[in-house]
Amino acid sequence: PKPCEVTPAIIMKTYACQRRTPLKHHNSFLTEPLEILAENAEFSENEGRSIAFRRSAAVLKALPHVVRAMDELKDLPCLGEHSLRVIKEILEDGTSSEVESTRQSEQFQAMKALTGVFGVGVRTADRWFREGLRSPLDLIHTGQKLNHAQQAGVQHYNDLNTPVTKKEAMVISDIVERAVKAVLPGAIIILTGGFRRGKEVGHDVDFLITHPEEGAEERLMPKIVNWLEEQGLLLYQKTTRNSYLESKDGPARPPSNMDRFERCFSIFKLEQSKMDSDTQVEASSYNSSTTDGPEERHSGSRWRAVRVDLVVSPYSQFAFATLGWTGSKLFERELRRWAGQEKGMSLSSHALYDSKQQRYLQANSEEEIFAHLGLEYIPPSERNA
Ligand code: ATP
Ligand code: MN
Ligand code: MN
């Protein structure tokens, strides 16, 4: 730039839901290390610390340029002392010693491997770690007692830790569409989660289902699951029924960020022959996994396991459900924090409650929810905080 040119000041808002955060940004060399520390804090159940690192990373993701010096950060929100120390080290030395020793640590690696098993949370992984277990194979060798989800998780460990491609998500989308249309004509199905935000790969595929006629969606999930099971498309499923109406604590105040929709956490059996021929060779190598039973694999029927989440919402809550299931997780958390702290409102995937007016605010689209919250509309592709 010419010497007389003044770089316009970047106005960085405090809440991630006030900012546009694209998928591809300029500072992965800083955000990835910060997110390692966030993940490590989650493994030690230090939520506050984890959120602090995630908020720091999110600010850097929203910057329109590469950070080259510490003084570029002086007017930015959310950057705590610890994050700044890590950033400084990376800018000066290329790496952060704290991040590198975390990455190398036995505990971090074991927790990563053990929580990488579907159905295993931080609590269980930590208990196993303290008992000396380090990997999914240790679970088999020591004959750990596993629930059904965890058994499926161990069995399909390699497949489920192989990123789901957009192409695979589209094939699954077609299958889900066929299943839903077969059991409830007129139903609406949308792809949510990371793929709606424009991600090229994901850890699973998320769908939200509704029907324009309120009530037509009730008890829909068991029918969808039956259809899929009859076609032999499911390796695992756990359906939870809608508990929204039974809840005593009020619709907008669920106990955590967990919602109460009828939902299904599943593992699909995805035929590889449905994929384009150019992905066949690559795809076949997925199945040379150590934990997937070879007796289940026949030549000519190559398949792989893919995690799929299905959620059913009543039409009147569809906008809230769409917003709540599109993510990112940090973006969602920031939306709820904004609603509570700045607006005296309570937001969930079901509803928005205004404490001042003491009433629920209706919405037919995500745009209307942002408007109720006094926020500029942020499209899904810019919710990648
Ligand atoms: P990935 O590519 O890793 O799947 P993602 O953003 O799709 O990324 P998910 O874990 O699939 O991540 O979550 C998608 C969205 O669904 C997130 O916004 C999250 O807040 C929401 N979500 C996930 N699990 C629940 C749950 N149990 N209750 C309510 N919302 C949930
Ligand atoms: Mn997802
Ligand atoms: Mn999901």
Side-chain angles (χ1 to χ4, degrees):
K2 291 170 222 143
C4 59
E5 258 175 34
V6 180
T7 328
I10 297 152
I11 299 158
M12 184 67 70
K13 298 279 181 56
T14 306
Y15 291 79
C17 55
Q18 296 175 287
R19 310 189 289 252
R20 294 176 179 270
T21 313
L23 186 62
K24 296 208 175 86
H25 61 87
H26 308 276
N27 293 294
S28 316
F29 76 110
L30 296 172
T31 61
E32 277 167 14
L34 288 169
E35 284 174 338
I36 293 281
L37 298 182
E39 202 175 11
N40 195 50
E42 272 150 33
F43 291 157
S44 354
E45 295 188 70
N46 191 338
E47 201 190 19
R49 194 179 161 99
S50 155
I51 293 301
F53 285 127
R54 292 208 186 273
R55 285 206 191 109
S56 298
V59 163
L60 304 179
K61 290 180 192 177
L63 280 175
H65 58 80
V66 182
V67 173
R68 297 191 196 280
M70 290 304 284
D71 67 357
E72 296 166 28
L73 305 176
K74 62 184 188 307
D75 296 324
L76 298 180
C78 307
L79 298 176
E81 198 188 319
H82 197 155
S83 294
L84 285 170
R85 198 162 70 229
V86 171
I87 295 167
K88 185 163 186 278
E89 221 187 325
I90 298 171
L91 290 178
E92 286 171 1
D93 310 339
T95 60
S96 147
S97 52
E98 185 185 2
V99 174
E100 292 322 307
S101 68
T102 300
R103 248 195 254 271
Q104 298 306 318
S105 82
E106 190 178 25
Q107 179 163 12
F108 180 79
Q109 290 185 1
M111 287 298 285
K112 186 106 184 144
L114 294 170
T115 57
V117 177
F118 171 64
V120 177
V122 166
R123 290 270 164 82
T124 306
D126 186 60
R127 193 184 73 235
W128 284 336
F129 177 75
R130 284 184 283 107
E131 288 170 10
L133 306 180
R134 297 292 177 263
S135 76
L137 284 175
D138 291 346
L139 299 176
I140 302 173
H141 295 150
T142 59
Q144 289 297 310
K145 200 170 154 27
L146 303 175
N147 64 32
H148 286 292
Q150 295 163 348
Q151 284 171 31
V154 168
Q155 197 175 356
H156 304 296
Y157 186 77
N158 287 347
D159 275 0
L160 298 185
N161 283 283
T162 302
V164 185
T165 63
K166 181 118 207 198
K167 219 179 237 173
E168 289 171 321
M170 289 307 130
V171 174
I172 290 170
S173 219
D174 283 346
I175 295 170
V176 170
E177 199 124 323
R178 257 188 289 137
V180 174
K181 294 278 153 74
V183 299
L184 182 65
I188 298 164
I189 304 131
I190 66 161
L191 189 58
T192 58
F195 287 111
R196 183 160 185 256
R197 302 196 308 275
K199 282 180 69 177
E200 290 297 326
V201 293
H203 99 283
D204 67 359
V205 195
D206 306 284
F207 295 95
L208 179 61
I209 302 156
T210 191
H211 192 285
E213 193 184 311
E214 189 91 354
E217 83 294 342
E218 272 172 45
R219 310 295 293 142
L220 174 59
M221 197 67 85
K223 294 180 199 157
I224 300 172
V225 168
N226 278 344
W227 190 95
L228 292 167
E229 263 175 347
E230 277 168 17
Q231 309 276 321
L233 291 165
L234 293 183
L235 294 163
Y236 169 88
Q237 67 87 16
K238 182 165 170 43
T239 302
T240 314
R241 39 177 309 199
N242 185 323
S243 56
Y244 182 69
L245 295 171
E246 297 145 37
S247 65
K248 283 186 287 231
D249 46 348
R253 273 182 276 127
S256 65
N257 64 340
M258 289 293 280
D259 65 50
R260 298 164 177 282
F261 291 119
E262 191 176 45
R263 77 168 94 233
C264 179
F265 294 130
S266 74
I267 302 175
F268 270 47
K269 180 174 179 175
L270 181 65
E271 293 296 336
Q272 299 288 350
S273 57
K274 290 212 166 55
M275 305 299 297
D276 289 350
S277 55
D278 62 323
T279 60
Q280 282 276 313
V281 178
E282 216 183 315
S284 64
S285 67
Y286 294 169
N287 291 347
S288 60
S289 66
T290 48
T291 50
D292 284 304
E295 72 281 1
E296 295 178 44
R297 311 279 189 191
H298 312 279
S299 55
S301 102
R302 291 205 212 93
W303 55 269
R304 88 153 181 119
V306 178
R307 275 272 298 115
V308 175
D309 285 338
L310 304 171
V311 180
V312 171
S313 140
Y315 200 62
S316 60
Q317 298 169 21
F318 189 58
F320 296 99
T322 305
L323 181 59
W325 279 83
T326 297
S328 68
K329 289 205 179 79
L330 184 68
F331 192 91
E332 300 293 337
R333 177 184 270 276
E334 293 281 276
L335 271 175
R336 291 192 296 270
R337 190 167 72 96
W338 167 269
Q341 294 187 351
E342 305 295 326
K343 295 282 150 179
M345 294 182 187
S346 174
L347 175 70
S348 75
S349 294
H350 297 279
L352 177 62
Y353 183 75
D354 186 331
S355 307
K356 265 183 263 135
Q357 300 185 53
Q358 297 199 17
R359 67 179 185 98
Y360 287 98
L361 305 178
Q362 305 303 313
N364 290 312
S365 64
E366 290 182 312
E367 283 85 345
E368 288 176 39
I369 303 172
F370 280 88
H372 283 319
L373 290 168
L375 290 168
E376 181 198 344
Y377 177 69
I378 309 288
S381 63
E382 311 211 70
R383 294 180 204 160
N384 287 295

